[in-house]
Amino acid sequence: MPVESGSSAASRQAKQKRKSHSLSIRRTNSTEQERTGLQREMLEGQDSKLPLSLRSNLLDLFGQIEREFENLYIENIESSHSTSQLSQKLKTTYKASTSKIVSSFKATTSRAVCQLVKEYVGHRDGIWDLSVTRTQPVVLGTASADHSAMLWSIETGKCLLKYVGHAGSASGDQTAHIWRYMVQLPTPQPVADISQTPCDDDIDFSDKDEADGDGEGPNECPSIRMASTTLRSHQGVVIAADWLVGGKQVVTASWDRAANLYDVETSELVHSLTGHDQELTHCCTHPTQRLVVTSSRDTTFRLWDFRDPSIHSVNVFQGHTDTVTSAVFTVGDNVVSGSDDRTVKVWDLKNMRSPIATIRTDSAVNRISVSVSQRIIALPHDNRQVRLFDMSGVRLARLPHSNRQGHRRMVCCSAWCEDNSSCNLFSCGFDRQAIGWNINIPALLQEK
């Protein structure tokens, strides 16, 4: 085996050092160049019979191949990330679509359980209040800011009587009127089912012009101007009134911060219920006991007890943070209060220290009503919605609301009439109309 001489070996080592030094000078801060230089140095340090120029070309070619594989690897990673994003997007879209489908099923179910049956149109201004008679014949009564009150046939939607004896908006003349009239109910006609009319839920048409302009009141509607009894004593607008059990006394609520109890036969003031710090908004009497509840802008409602003729007690309840728009009795021992603070609270008459249930909503609540048999609370809202809850605060339904049916302005009041086969819930509002609804209560409770 040939042996390399000492001078030749030294020369070879010096040459390799010069090449290595030359390679280190040509390196840059680039990762790719550092890697290429390192590979070149390793190859040059190996024994090979190939010429240096050929080995250098091979090294460059292998570097290009490595870069191609690196680019493919990066593209593969990016493609995998894009696929993940696409998958996430598909999942989100699928979830949103599924939610819309479920919502559409809920809306369809709601429309099937709660149907608009009749619209009572004839007032020329907003309707503040409505009620249903408690004795036969059963008719609907409305009070409006157009200075009139009307009686309606529930089945036909026809106006039976128009009272125009007030000098102000409803009772803006500071008086309460009692008037009598023999109602002749018309023959009911078949009711067209408008609940099947296609509708787009939740369309906002608050800026939509009223179709009827000022409107011409109902045709062929008799009117009267004279009250059989006029109740005076208030120094402000009379905003609400209700009959005390027995029908011989009436309680009225006024903006003069007082509620008055009158004897109907003599028109005399029996009691003036004072104590509220601001205007009253509503009053309500218990269906079977001599109890009265008044609500006020001072964020309180008060319970007045007339069961003992010698003692007239009063209790003040501070459960809200804004105007109490109404407080009503239920058939049992409960009071339900609604407020501009967007809550409704259920109270137990036996323990009124704190509510037994609280309903939180997204809009101010106006004059609520509670059904007699199933004790379902109907909430009319400032945002044109009407919602139904049970006494424990569970939401049962929202009445259909679209560009074809429902209220177009704030809903002021609701009233139940469970004995009526066609319409068992009524609502009215600033859109100058009252609406009769059919609520399938068994189906509603079954969905619960």
Side-chain angles (χ1 to χ4, degrees):
M1 180 176 179
V3 179
E4 196 172 24
S5 64
S7 60
S8 175
S11 175
R12 181 184 178 89
Q13 289 178 356
K15 184 176 180 181
Q16 289 179 348
K17 287 182 180 180
R18 285 196 301 272
K19 288 181 179 179
S20 177
H21 179 67
S22 176
L23 284 172
S24 65
I25 293 176
R26 288 197 298 267
R27 289 175 185 166
T28 65
N29 292 330
S30 169
T31 303
E32 180 182 346
Q33 289 180 340
E34 288 179 357
R35 185 170 61 250
T36 303
L38 180 61
Q39 291 174 345
R40 189 186 303 276
E41 185 176 0
M42 290 176 63
L43 286 174
E44 289 180 350
Q46 296 175 357
D47 293 333
S48 175
K49 296 182 180 180
L50 294 175
L52 183 60
S53 58
L54 181 59
R55 281 190 292 168
S56 179
N57 289 336
L58 286 174
L59 185 63
D60 291 337
L61 290 174
F62 280 119
Q64 293 177 16
I65 293 172
E66 183 182 8
R67 286 193 296 273
E68 289 294 329
F69 275 105
E70 187 176 9
N71 291 335
L72 288 173
Y73 178 74
I74 293 173
E75 288 180 3
N76 186 38
I77 292 177
E78 291 177 350
S79 175
S80 175
H81 182 65
S82 299
T83 303
S84 176
Q85 287 182 333
L86 179 60
S87 176
Q88 184 64 32
K89 188 175 181 181
L90 287 173
K91 288 180 180 178
T92 304
T93 306
Y94 172 76
K95 185 180 293 185
S97 302
T98 305
S99 299
K100 289 181 180 179
I101 294 171
V102 173
S103 297
S104 67
F105 279 125
K106 288 184 178 179
T108 303
T109 304
S110 178
R111 285 195 293 269
V113 174
C114 310
Q115 296 183 353
L116 187 153
V117 177
K118 187 66 66 175
E119 294 176 337
Y120 305 87
V121 180
H123 281 292
R124 299 188 179 187
D125 206 338
I127 304 176
W128 287 97
D129 201 1
L130 86 170
S131 182
V132 181
T133 56
R134 300 173 184 173
T135 58
Q136 295 293 333
V138 179
V139 296
L140 174 68
T142 56
S144 170
D146 64 5
H147 303 186
S148 73
M150 291 184 179
L151 297 181
W152 306 84
S153 166
I154 293 176
E155 287 75 14
T156 66
K158 180 181 179 181
C159 177
L160 305 174
L161 178 68
K162 182 176 183 179
Y163 180 74
V164 291
H166 282 288
S169 172
S171 295
D173 57 8
Q174 304 180 5
T175 65
H177 293 184
I178 299 175
W179 35 278
R180 305 174 188 273
Y181 185 78
M182 294 298 295
V183 173
Q184 189 71 29
L185 294 178
T187 303
Q189 299 295 325
V191 178
D193 186 3
I194 65 174
S195 64
Q196 303 302 321
T197 305
C199 63
D200 300 319
D201 281 356
D202 297 327
I203 292 181
D204 185 355
F205 46 90
S206 58
D207 297 327
K208 182 179 178 181
D209 294 334
E210 299 290 346
D212 299 331
D214 288 337
E216 297 292 335
N219 295 327
E220 302 178 0
C221 180
S223 63
I224 58 174
R225 295 179 177 273
M226 297 300 294
S228 60
T229 303
T230 300
L231 307 177
R232 310 178 189 276
S233 291
H234 283 296
Q235 304 301 314
V237 171
V238 179
I239 196 65
D242 201 1
W243 294 91
L244 206 62
V245 60
K248 295 182 178 180
Q249 292 179 323
V250 170
V251 62
T252 59
S254 171
W255 285 358
D256 63 6
R257 306 182 183 183
N260 289 343
L261 184 64
Y262 295 94
D263 183 275
V264 174
E265 295 298 327
T266 63
S267 304
E268 291 181 358
L269 177 64
V270 179
H271 293 290
S272 183
L273 313 180
T274 59
H276 282 290
D277 295 330
Q278 295 188 41
E279 297 93 333
L280 271 63
T281 57
H282 191 249
C283 66
C284 179
T285 60
H286 194 279
T288 60
Q289 303 182 60
R290 292 178 58 82
L291 297 172
V292 176
V293 62
T294 57
S295 52
S296 170
R297 289 173 55 88
D298 63 9
T299 74
T300 71
F301 65 93
R302 296 183 176 225
L303 178 64
W304 310 81
D305 191 346
F306 297 101
R307 289 175 293 187
D308 188 341
S310 61
I311 302 175
H312 303 143
S313 63
V314 58
N315 293 290
V316 182
F317 304 101
Q318 301 174 333
H320 292 281
T321 59
D322 206 337
T323 298
V324 181
T325 53
S326 65
V328 299
F329 291 101
T330 68
V331 173
D333 293 326
N334 296 110
V335 172
V336 183
S337 60
S339 171
D340 280 344
D341 65 7
R342 303 182 180 184
T343 67
V344 171
K345 299 191 176 185
V346 181
W347 309 78
D348 188 346
L349 282 173
K350 298 177 182 177
N351 182 10
M352 297 284 285
R353 293 182 179 180
S354 60
I356 59 176
T358 298
I359 301 169
R360 304 187 185 280
T361 69
D362 59 353
S363 180
V365 181
N366 297 308
R367 294 187 176 181
I368 60 179
S369 63
V370 183
S371 65
V372 175
S373 62
Q374 298 297 334
R375 300 202 299 171
I376 299 174
I377 311 170
L379 278 58
H381 289 286
D382 275 3
N383 64 0
R384 308 183 302 280
Q385 303 285 351
V386 180
R387 294 184 175 96
L388 305 180
F389 288 80
D390 67 10
M391 293 288 287
S392 61
V394 176
R395 176 175 164 174
L396 301 177
R398 185 196 67 182
L399 300 193
H401 179 265
S402 71
N403 62 339
R404 293 183 179 271
Q405 59 178 322
H407 286 287
R408 297 177 175 84
R409 296 290 184 268
M410 178 180 76
V411 188
C412 299
C413 182
S414 64
W416 287 93
C417 181
E418 294 174 89
D419 295 333
N420 190 277
S421 58
S422 59
C423 302
N424 54 4
L425 177 63
F426 300 90
S427 60
C428 66
F430 272 9
D431 55 1
R432 303 178 299 182
Q433 68 172 339
I435 296 178
W437 306 88
N438 181 271
I439 311 299
N440 188 338
I441 295 179
L444 190 69
L445 297 177
Q446 185 177 3
E447 285 186 1
K448 171 184 173 183

